[in-house]
Amino acid sequence: MSDRMSRVRGRLTDLEADALFLTSMPKIRWACGFTGSSGLLVVGPDSASFVTDGRYTDQARSEVDGADVHVARDGLSACVKEAGLLESFSRVAFQADHVSVARRDALVDEHGEVEWIPKTGLLTQLAGSKTEDEVSRIRRAQSITENVFREIVDLIEPGMTEREIGAEIVYRHLKKGAESMAFDPIVASGPNGARPHARPTDRALHAGDMIVIDMGCFRDGYASDMTRTVALGEPDDTARRGYEAVLDAQHAALDAARAGMTGQELDAVARASLEAAGLAEHFTHGLGHGLGLQVHEWPRVSHTADDELPEGACVTIEPGVYLPEKQYGVRIEDIIVLREDGCENLTNSPKELMVL
């Protein structure tokens, strides 16, 4: 962690700031190791101070690396003032994509001597390239999700509702050691599958349904994310062709993925494959997103993402097509690690269409 703190300090020169004022808990965890839900971190060129409340006194003292720990009695901001943590700084960069306008105004009132510099993505790129330890944690989380998927497909039968399957997904993740779900699972059958972010409903499954199942969890602080689409009984030819087109698009993207290309370039590979199948207009979202301490983080993989994808970034590859008029949708999602010469797939679940 101390190495990370030195990398955080490196941002001071880039930002022409005397200190960084960090409030996003995932980024604070990345910088100093604290896993609780309340805290802020002030990083200067020669010092760092972490502030939390009394609930986390022992936890902070055992987890925080590279920063002095301060325990607030009357609120975190009051502690910053009382301890004089900003007294020696005149220009302080803060996370503008995390701090509300009301909180920014309060900071200005409390620390009128400070020039507050709003910055978005303050540590985004630093945290985007994962260490091998981080990759291992994501792999362990993904393994839990894959094990749950294997169990879930054995349960699915006509008459079950989407909501019942969603409940089983949550229960089995927690039973297998997940700390929490990374997001509410998606179970979308038949016409609901044509909604990319459908929520489980009381719709009962019917023979012939395509079922989109998207789920993920946190383990050791890191996220998993996987989507599979299965068929309950033999699907019609249109749905099967749609599935094969999405699978071909994913294979094309996986073959092309490497560090150094842009998110736009990688997205275009999958989109071109679906264009050849006549389905590109039904691919209505980006190809993927980064994940780590958050299930959605930088870098993005989409037609608007012109950032280069760094070596070590973990991203999802999840092409999909959604056809309300045909009453089905398909999405297939894996997590990969970008390497200089290609990618490593952290997902092992089979992708040939399962007919249950």
Side-chain angles (χ1 to χ4, degrees):
M1 288 296 173
S2 56
D3 175 63
R4 289 187 183 177
M5 195 65 76
S6 66
R7 294 171 65 193
V8 172
R9 285 195 175 91
R11 297 288 285 131
L12 294 172
T13 301
D14 300 336
L15 299 170
E16 297 181 344
D18 301 319
L20 306 181
F21 189 85
L22 305 178
T23 51
S24 166
M25 296 313 301
K27 293 301 186 287
I28 287 172
R29 177 171 182 167
W30 183 86
C32 71
F34 178 69
T35 66
S37 64
S38 174
L40 59 83
L41 182 64
V42 178
V43 181
D46 302 307
S47 64
S49 300
F50 174 74
V51 183
T52 189
D53 63 63
R55 296 173 297 168
Y56 294 112
T57 301
D58 291 340
Q59 181 177 336
R61 288 171 178 163
S62 65
E63 288 183 343
V64 171
D65 183 26
D68 297 329
V69 173
H70 300 261
V71 179
R73 294 175 299 176
D74 301 310
L76 305 189
S77 295
C79 183
V80 172
K81 186 74 171 177
E82 292 167 7
L85 301 183
L86 297 178
E87 284 183 356
S88 59
F89 307 124
S90 58
R91 289 173 51 84
V92 178
F94 69 95
Q95 294 174 290
D97 43 0
H98 184 263
V99 173
S100 68
V101 173
R103 188 168 189 188
R104 188 275 315 273
D105 289 347
L107 289 172
V108 171
D109 289 342
E110 293 166 357
H111 305 279
E113 72 284 1
V114 169
E115 178 185 354
W116 292 94
I117 307 167
K119 294 293 180 180
T120 60
L122 206 55
L123 302 185
T124 293
Q125 296 194 14
L126 289 181
S129 186
K130 303 297 186 284
T131 65
E132 289 306 314
D133 176 67
E134 290 177 295
V135 171
S136 294
R137 293 179 186 223
I138 293 170
R139 185 183 284 111
R140 286 195 290 272
Q142 190 77 338
S143 178
I144 292 174
T145 294
E146 294 186 63
N147 288 335
V148 169
F149 176 72
R150 281 194 288 270
E151 294 182 0
I152 289 298
V153 293
D154 288 339
L155 295 177
I156 294 174
E157 60 183 14
M160 285 189 77
T161 68
E162 295 170 348
R163 204 182 305 276
E164 287 171 337
I165 297 170
E168 288 287 348
I169 288 171
V170 173
Y171 165 69
R172 290 167 187 266
H173 269 91
L174 299 178
K175 187 177 180 181
K176 292 182 183 300
E179 295 163 358
S180 64
M181 299 303 293
F183 53 91
D184 292 336
I186 293 172
V187 181
S189 61
N192 292 341
R195 302 172 181 172
H197 274 192
R199 294 181 178 180
T201 70
D202 289 323
R203 182 185 186 274
L205 307 185
H206 302 284
D209 280 347
M210 298 289 279
I211 309 167
V212 179
I213 301 172
D214 188 349
M215 54 188 177
C217 71
F218 284 107
R219 174 64 190 253
D220 298 328
Y222 284 77
S224 65
D225 194 358
M226 185 180 84
T227 306
R228 291 293 183 265
T229 303
V230 300
L232 184 57
E234 191 62 36
D236 63 33
D237 290 344
T238 300
R240 185 175 280 277
R241 284 195 298 272
Y243 188 94
E244 294 301 324
V246 171
L247 184 57
D248 288 346
Q250 199 207 37
H251 281 316
L254 292 172
D255 288 343
R258 58 174 176 77
M261 66 190 310
T262 68
Q264 263 179 349
E265 291 169 339
L266 185 51
D267 179 275
V269 173
R271 215 164 286 277
S273 180
L274 288 170
E275 182 71 44
L279 290 170
E281 66 181 294
H282 303 291
F283 179 25
T284 55
H285 54 75
L287 180 61
H289 55 85
L291 85 171
L293 288 168
Q294 296 171 279
V295 73
H296 287 90
E297 59 181 48
W298 186 87
R300 294 184 305 113
V301 185
S302 79
H303 70 282
T304 61
D306 56 5
D307 290 335
E308 282 193 5
L309 303 172
E311 186 169 2
C314 291
V315 300
T316 65
I317 301 295
E318 48 180 306
V321 296
Y322 310 94
L323 292 94
E325 69 281 5
K326 301 294 185 181
Q327 298 201 350
Y328 84 92
V330 174
R331 184 164 65 254
I332 305 170
E333 176 185 22
D334 292 351
I335 298 172
I336 64 170
V337 188
L338 294 163
R339 306 296 190 189
E340 184 178 351
D341 57 352
C343 73
E344 176 188 354
N345 199 328
L346 303 185
T347 311
N348 298 301
S349 287
K351 287 180 283 194
E352 294 305 317
L353 179 60
M354 289 187 178
V355 180
L356 309 179

